[in-house]
Each structure stands twice: as structure tokens, then as C-alpha cells.
Amino acid sequence: MSEATLSAGDPGPYLELAVLCERVLEERDGVLSLVRLVDRLEVTVPGPAGAAGPAALAPVQLFAVVGFKSGQARGRHQLRLTLERPDGLRRLLAELPLLFEGEDRGARAIVGLGFSLELEGLYWVDVQLDERWFTRMPLRVVYLAYRTG
């Protein structure tokens, strides 16, 4: 993954937003309302306090919302979202085309994500457009164990 830096001569596209949330409302006029932005999940797991979590919990359902402004960018570009788990394993979550029309016109993606929280710790969702890396969205998972019986 290579880092991109913005310079005065950078033609775009420009990252407008990259967030994880529980719900997205899109009005008829295209305006978005993002509900419950998430960067930390506290998950209750069975077992004594301090015990390791289960091998797999029920999948988490979140939305990744990623938006760009075109600048001088035109045409189709490939958006790629990749999940990096706390143990360093990576897997592709989504790959889809975005159409850039130029200048202030934007392109955005609302991607439903479902994945299991198999490990406690810090997950990252990387945002790439074509081969250019733009940012990472963090998701910290904390197990809250409770005693049984």
C-alpha cells in the first residue's frame, strides 16, 4: 500500500468522507443522513470475566460510506475496501466501479458489510481507488465477558 499526499497540483479525485455506520438514509434528492457512526464495538460474549472470546460471533452488520469529489478526474475508477483483522490477515470486502464526472461532481458508495468479529482488537477497513490508497477506517472490538451461572 502506497501513501498518497495532496499537493497543490493534485488533480483529484479528493476523498470527501469515509465512515462506518449502523444505518444510512438516502433522501430522494440524494442527501444522506448517517446514523450512529461506529469506530468501536463492545460485544458481550459468554464465559467468565477475562476469558477469550468465542471463535466466531454473529456477523456484524455495518455500512461503509465512502465519497469522493472529482476534481479533474473523469470516467470509471475501481473502489476497493479491504478488511485487516487484528492478527494482520486481510480480505477483500467489496470492489465496485465509481463514475467521476469532473469538478465538484462526486461519486460515492454505500456498501453493506457483514463480517464476524472473530478476534478482539483493532480492525481496519482500507479505502483504495484503483491502485491509490486514500485512508483507513478503524473499528475497535472489545469483548465484555459475563459470568455464566
Side-chain angles (χ1 to χ4, degrees):
M1 154 173 45
S2 65
E3 284 194 35
T5 57
L6 183 63
S7 66
D10 190 329
Y14 309 111
L15 182 65
E16 178 184 30
L17 79 151
V19 296
L20 299 173
C21 61
E22 287 185 0
R23 265 184 41 198
V24 180
L25 306 174
E26 187 169 10
E27 302 297 329
R28 281 184 280 198
D29 62 359
V31 173
L32 292 183
S33 294
L34 307 177
V35 180
R36 295 184 47 89
L37 301 182
V38 178
D39 64 3
R40 179 183 178 95
L41 290 175
E42 294 179 349
V43 182
T44 302
V45 296
L57 295 172
V60 170
Q61 297 296 319
L62 296 174
F63 289 92
V65 182
V66 179
F68 294 89
K69 292 297 182 185
S70 294
Q72 295 177 23
R74 303 277 193 287
R76 294 195 184 282
H77 295 267
Q78 198 71 13
L79 174 68
R80 180 178 298 121
L81 301 179
T82 306
L83 178 71
E84 182 178 304
R85 297 174 4 150
D87 60 3
L89 291 177
R90 298 173 59 82
R91 76 173 177 91
L92 184 65
L93 290 174
E95 192 168 26
L96 57 140
L98 294 180
L99 178 63
F100 290 91
E101 299 176 53
E103 295 154 2
D104 64 330
R105 296 291 301 166
R108 67 176 173 228
I110 301 169
V111 181
L113 304 178
F115 54 90
S116 295
L117 303 175
E118 299 169 357
L119 299 170
E120 183 176 41
L122 183 58
Y123 291 75
W124 289 101
V125 178
D126 289 340
V127 177
Q128 287 179 273
L129 195 61
D130 299 324
E131 297 302 317
R132 182 178 168 191
W133 179 84
F134 275 85
T135 194
R136 307 183 101 187
M137 297 179 280
L139 180 63
R140 169 73 63 183
V141 174
V142 178
Y143 287 164
L144 301 177
Y146 64 90
R147 297 194 184 277
T148 57

